[in-house]
Amino acid sequence: MPDGSARLLLILGDQLDRRILDWLDYVPDRDRVAMFEVAEEATHVPSHKARTALFLSAMRHFARRLEDDHEALEVHYVALDDADNSGSFAGELQRFAAAHHPAAEIDTLVVLRPGEHRVLASLEAAANALGWRIDLREDPRFYTTPDDFTAWADGRKELVLEYFYREQRKRFGILMDDGSPTGGDWNYDAQNREALRDDAPKIPPRLSFEPDEVTREVFEVVESTFPDAPGSLDSFGWPVTREQALEALDHFLEHRLPNFGTYQDAMRRGEPWLWHSLLSPALNLGLIDPREAVDGALARYEDDAAPLNAVEGFVRQILGWREFIRGVYWHQGADYADRNHLEADTELPSIYWTGDTEMECMRQSLGQVHEHGYGHHIQRLMVTGLFALQLGVVPRQVADWYLGLYVDGVDWVTLPNTVGMVLYADGGVVGTKPYAATGKYIRRMSDYCGACPFDPDQRTGDEACPFSTLYWDFLMRQRDRLEGNRRIGFVWRNVDRLDETEQHAIGSRADAIRARLDAGEPLTPG
Ligand code: SF4
């Protein structure tokens, strides 16, 4: 047996990278390796059945592969339906210690930084209770460590994504030519706002993976353990192994990337996937590395197989936004989750759980979330998120909904996106302004409004689009808090043009919308 005390290496469900044992300095014959499926992770917020199934299936495949790849390694794997499963990480660590310690002479818990403050705190407390040291390793899958981000953020008045992103481009030499951005511009957003017209290219089909025996077993466990969980497993086709994830990456690069940029903000009825990468679940689980995705896109650009506006837009999402959001998560600390700058106090409407609404944009966006556990970024920001912002829903409730209802939901990404970007509840840490809008934005970017009984041009009256009513109501209610924001300074002139009667009618209509949603009543016109 090697010198030194033994350690327990814990692999969490979103750390399924084939290199993890190297990152945790695994020494055979000395260290134990554990993976726990625990109910707490599927119930601390209501979790979509597909989200839970994805984590569990990927974990089971990963544990098998790890044992195949490492001779004599036996992963201490606790399945969700194991008879004595305690249901929590803390409970499983205690059970492990009771069964193996002190015979195993473990004195250290080694783990990569989890994706959630809550999990980190619970592991620290559990290790402490056992008298173990915790050896927390930084997660090499990210380009930027929390310390890197803090070094960048400290001393800045505002954390502006654009500046962070440019630094990242320079630091890693990505899309840079002799110190300047490739093509001359840092971004090509102006080319990336096309709606889908009739002459748009044909939307490529989704690459869907048939559930294998392991995944089907997981389905049974999920259905029997969490029968009342939201969502459906019927359309589950997410990659659950590294091989499948690499295939999904190739499929995106080949079939979706060329049009990804142009149509990244477009929405269309019955089309949940469009040209989006659909890679966030595999990236967040660790089945592929962000560098593989970025390098793949860069190679396509170099081969003239994808245009710069698409490649830059994709690189910005991975190297810029994803890293920025995670930096904010750790930089802002655990109490970031409780920020509520706009003092929003409306309960999350039941339509978020049922999808049962006459608003076509919401019906489409919520329907596909319940069906697939997926919605692309513009639906998250400018439909489901916009509605919650303007309605004034409690930020924590919205953040928990995003965390649990999307297959790629992990706290480090859903929390800052929701609290910061979507709801402006952090008062401007993530976004420089609240993304408020009338229904006209949705009409411009989608075909939803043509199939909706409401009218985006109307803000009052029975046929008024709820988004349009709530937009003006939001501005009137939040004027004191937002008037100093230079980025939306122009809107107050428009608010001032509303006479008193109109302002009153908007407020009454907004109150009626809230009351109906609160009572679970339909928002039918008339
Ligand atoms: Fe949504 Fe309003 Fe358009 Fe209806 S009219 S689809 S509610 S934006």
Side-chain angles (χ1 to χ4, degrees), residues 403-479:
L403 174 61
L405 265 284
Y406 291 77
V407 288
D408 57 7
V410 188
D411 203 45
W412 65 262
V413 61
T414 48
L415 186 74
N417 266 311
T418 309
V419 168
M421 184 72 183
V422 172
L423 300 178
Y424 197 69
D426 62 5
V429 175
V430 167
T432 51
K433 63 171 186 175
Y435 282 84
T438 68
K440 291 180 197 174
Y441 173 83
I442 293 171
R443 182 174 60 189
R444 188 164 70 249
M445 297 310 300
S446 75
D447 62 354
Y448 295 154
C449 301
C452 183
F454 298 108
D455 179 357
D457 287 325
Q458 296 188 39
R459 57 190 169 217
T460 59
D462 287 342
E463 290 186 1
C465 164
F467 283 81
S468 298
T469 305
L470 292 170
Y471 168 78
W472 293 101
D473 177 70
F474 172 78
L475 291 177
M476 292 190 296
R477 283 189 296 109
Q478 297 293 348
R479 186 164 190 160

Side-chain angles (χ1 to χ4, degrees), residues 493-509:
R493 280 197 301 278
N494 297 331
V495 174
D496 289 337
R497 286 195 195 107
L498 303 172
D499 63 29
E500 217 171 289
T501 310
E502 182 79 351
Q503 290 194 12
H504 182 74
I506 290 168
S508 300
R509 168 85 176 142

